[in-house]
Amino acid sequence: MTFPLQRFLKRRPPPYGTEPDQRSCWDLHVIDLRGRKSLLAVHCYSRYAFVWYDVAPLQWADLPGLFRTGLAESLSAAGFSPAQTAACLQSAAAPALTRTHGRRAVAFLNRAWEDVLSLDLCLDPSSQAQPLLDHAVNSRPSRCAGVEGLGTGLERMRQSLADHGSIQDAF
């Protein structure tokens, strides 16, 4: 959880994460899109990102459920199979909310946020799920904390899941 998200939710800072492998870690952030509070989730390892638009106050109360719903919708829309999506959600079944993963990961989160803002023409204000916006952000070449060089969040997420062994069937 970023500091702005902690303040927005009026939560005390959670403990630091101790997960050495950031392939199962996500940074969650609250952003304003067209005047609406929205969730931006960025995978720490690959910089795969998704947006859940115009989040209602009751949805914020269940942040883990909000995250899992957004992740499932985004992965499905990105072409991940139901088995792949289920395997990814299973690894997120018992999330531990922690602080962000340091300056480098937050810098990549901020770059994802800049991409979201620059691609906001892809926003569909009639839906909380934003498959077109997610695709535009995840198809843009970028850098990330987990892999050297330029690549796309979508390619790196596919590779990360395949390498990590949490997804058995390949594309």
Side-chain angles (χ1 to χ4, degrees):
M1 295 174 60
T2 62
F3 287 125
L5 180 57
Q6 293 168 36
R7 284 190 299 270
F8 174 71
L9 297 177
K10 297 180 174 105
R11 291 193 182 181
R12 303 185 113 214
Y16 286 100
T18 58
E19 180 69 37
D21 184 355
Q22 292 187 359
R23 292 175 210 227
S24 61
C25 298
W26 293 76
D27 283 328
L28 306 180
H29 189 49
V30 60
I31 61 174
D32 281 316
L33 280 177
R34 297 188 186 171
R36 305 290 186 179
K37 295 293 184 191
S38 303
L39 174 68
L40 172 63
V42 179
H43 187 237
C44 295
Y45 188 82
S46 68
R47 215 201 91 160
Y48 180 90
F50 71 86
V51 172
W52 198 254
Y53 178 68
D54 194 15
V55 178
L58 288 176
Q59 290 176 298
W60 287 112
D62 180 16
L63 189 57
L66 175 64
F67 167 74
R68 282 191 301 272
T69 299
L71 179 60
E73 289 284 335
S74 180
L75 292 175
S76 178
F80 288 86
S81 72
Q84 292 169 314
T85 300
C88 194
L89 288 172
Q90 185 177 11
S91 70
L97 295 175
T98 66
R99 294 182 189 198
T100 55
H101 294 82
R103 289 183 181 177
R104 190 162 191 240
V106 170
F108 291 120
L109 177 141
N110 287 332
R111 292 301 305 241
W113 185 12
E114 290 172 9
D115 288 348
V116 166
L117 292 175
S118 71
L119 295 164
D120 108 314
L121 290 173
C122 298
L123 182 76
D124 176 2
S126 68
S127 174
Q128 287 192 296
Q130 295 296 317
L132 187 59
L133 179 59
D134 294 353
H135 179 75
V137 170
N138 290 316
S139 296
R140 183 177 259 192
S142 63
R143 298 190 186 282
C144 69
V147 181
E148 292 298 319
L150 282 175
T152 67
L154 185 58
E155 292 168 351
R156 289 188 299 253
M157 175 57 95
R158 285 181 179 150
Q159 190 61 52
S160 172
L161 292 174
D163 290 349
H164 192 55
S166 61
I167 305 294
Q168 296 304 316
D169 52 45
F171 279 84

